[in-house]
Amino acid sequence: AGSIAAMAHGCGISPFQGLEGTIAISDQCATMGQARGKLLPLLESQMESLVGDKEMAYLLGNLNDIDEDTSTGIAYTEVFPRRKGYLQRRFQDREDLFRSVRYSCMFPFFTTNWPCLVEQPSSSAMLPRLFVDGYFSVPRDQFGCPMLHVDGTEEDTKNDKQTTQSEDSNNNKSSAADRTVAISCFPQDTIGMTAFSPEDCISPSLTTLEENGASDFELSEIGSLFRLATQPTSREELTQVFELGYKNAEKWCRRELERQRQEEDKLRQEMRASFL
């Protein structure tokens, strides 16, 4: 899930630690016979072991106030009592962070055997709230990736109030990014992730998978990638997907540097022409 990767990166956790945590969860699911319905307790255990006070301090960084946005956003969807998407950037403590990740990873009837996670009300006069994966908070062509460079949705958990930027045009404007680059372990074209241009998406192509020897584990088939995402598998396969992710990112970085160089050359030519 993207929220797990976002949390780990925001907390300064090594990608290799994240890989080992993924392998541990896969091994435990294999021991239990399957992954479906059993993931949430295993995820909670890994979060508890990986995110301590030091990692939480890294996430909060140099913020002067708990009401300031961090550089990490966790997306999830409320389905009751109202249908609404959230992109949470403020976290009071570890439990607040873990709660947002739990909501974001709640894929109906897969993460647990239930369709959603329930947040019990603090008062009998209030209704319980039901949450599911952040995938459902954005259009299908974004494949679960929120657009950070446009107005999104925020939740102020400390003051227990929800607002959207469309409702309040001045709400958290400074937190908007200049650009959104999506990251997907699935080939962009295959999953219909058309909301992002190829320049703004880091993902494998079937050609790239084959070039990197992925066919040894049949990773060139989209069905095999979904198998790895939903079923227990070996350390070898998970490590190979991890390494392919690095190669895809390196390839994107090289293309991005070339794109920026071309833009700079074009700008210099235009400035030169304006002085002639």
Side-chain angles (χ1 to χ4, degrees):
S3 61
I4 302 173
M7 177 198 71
H9 180 73
C11 290
I13 296 170
S14 163
F16 300 99
Q17 287 181 277
L19 172 62
E20 289 301 320
T22 302
I23 293 170
I25 289 177
S26 179
D27 289 346
Q28 289 173 295
C29 288
T31 300
M32 294 185 291
Q34 63 177 356
R36 190 192 68 80
K38 305 177 185 296
L39 289 173
L40 190 59
L42 302 179
L43 170 61
E44 290 174 333
S45 176
Q46 286 296 321
M47 288 195 296
E48 287 285 351
S49 65
L50 291 174
V51 182
D53 293 339
K54 176 182 176 182
E55 289 73 22
M56 197 65 200
Y58 185 95
L59 173 68
L60 297 178
N62 296 319
L63 300 184
N64 295 317
D65 191 289
I66 198 68
D67 283 339
E68 290 185 36
D69 291 341
T70 68
S71 60
T72 298
I74 305 295
Y76 49 87
T77 310
E78 180 181 356
V79 294
F80 181 85
R82 55 179 174 171
R83 178 72 164 79
K84 187 175 180 182
Y86 294 101
L87 182 61
Q88 184 173 337
R89 293 193 181 96
R90 302 174 186 177
F91 307 97
Q92 290 178 276
D93 48 33
R94 289 170 72 239
E95 176 51 37
D96 190 24
L97 175 64
F98 293 172
R99 177 191 59 81
S100 68
V101 174
R102 286 195 295 268
Y103 291 165
S104 186
C105 292
M106 181 58 208
F107 204 87
F109 302 108
F110 181 76
T111 308
T112 73
N113 289 320
W114 296 93
C116 59
L117 288 182
V118 181
E119 179 185 281
Q120 296 296 342
S122 56
S123 167
S124 59
M126 300 172 65
L127 293 171
R129 300 169 69 195
L130 309 183
F131 294 94
V132 294
D133 197 301
Y135 173 87
F136 302 102
S137 67
V138 296
R140 169 66 183 80
D141 61 359
Q142 292 179 221
F143 205 71
C145 180
M147 293 285 195
L148 303 181
H149 63 288
V150 297
D151 288 351
T153 306
E154 293 289 336
E155 178 174 0
D156 183 341
T157 56
K158 182 177 181 181
N159 296 312
D160 195 28
K161 65 182 180 181
Q162 295 90 33
T163 59
T164 65
Q165 289 184 354
S166 59
E167 293 169 351
D168 179 1
S169 59
N170 295 316
N171 181 36
N172 292 318
K173 281 289 187 178
S174 60
S175 66
D178 295 330
R179 178 183 178 191
T180 301
V181 177
I183 303 175
S184 172
C185 60
F186 301 111
Q188 180 184 12
D189 293 340
T190 305
I191 59 175
M193 202 173 184
T194 56
F196 299 90
S197 68
E199 292 78 16
D200 289 335
C201 186
I202 302 173
S203 74
S205 66
L206 295 183
T207 301
T208 302
L209 289 169
E210 292 168 354
E211 288 174 350
N212 286 287
S215 56
D216 292 343
F217 291 112
E218 298 182 343
L219 297 184
S220 58
E221 297 292 334
I222 188 67
S224 295
L225 291 172
F226 276 105
R227 171 180 62 81
L228 294 177
T230 59
Q231 299 177 25
T233 187
S234 67
R235 169 182 287 272
E236 289 74 19
E237 283 190 306
L238 291 173
T239 301
Q240 187 178 40
V241 173
F242 177 83
E243 292 173 347
L244 284 172
Y246 262 97
K247 291 178 181 179
N248 292 325
E250 290 170 350
K251 184 177 181 180
W252 180 88
C253 288
R254 289 193 294 270
R255 290 200 311 265
E256 177 66 11
L257 287 173
E258 177 61 21
R259 186 190 67 82
Q260 291 180 6
R261 185 190 65 78
Q262 292 177 359
E263 287 188 353
E264 290 172 358
D265 288 345
K266 182 180 178 181
L267 180 59
R268 280 195 293 267
Q269 291 173 4
E270 291 175 349
M271 293 179 64
R272 189 179 300 116
S274 66
F275 286 107
L276 296 179

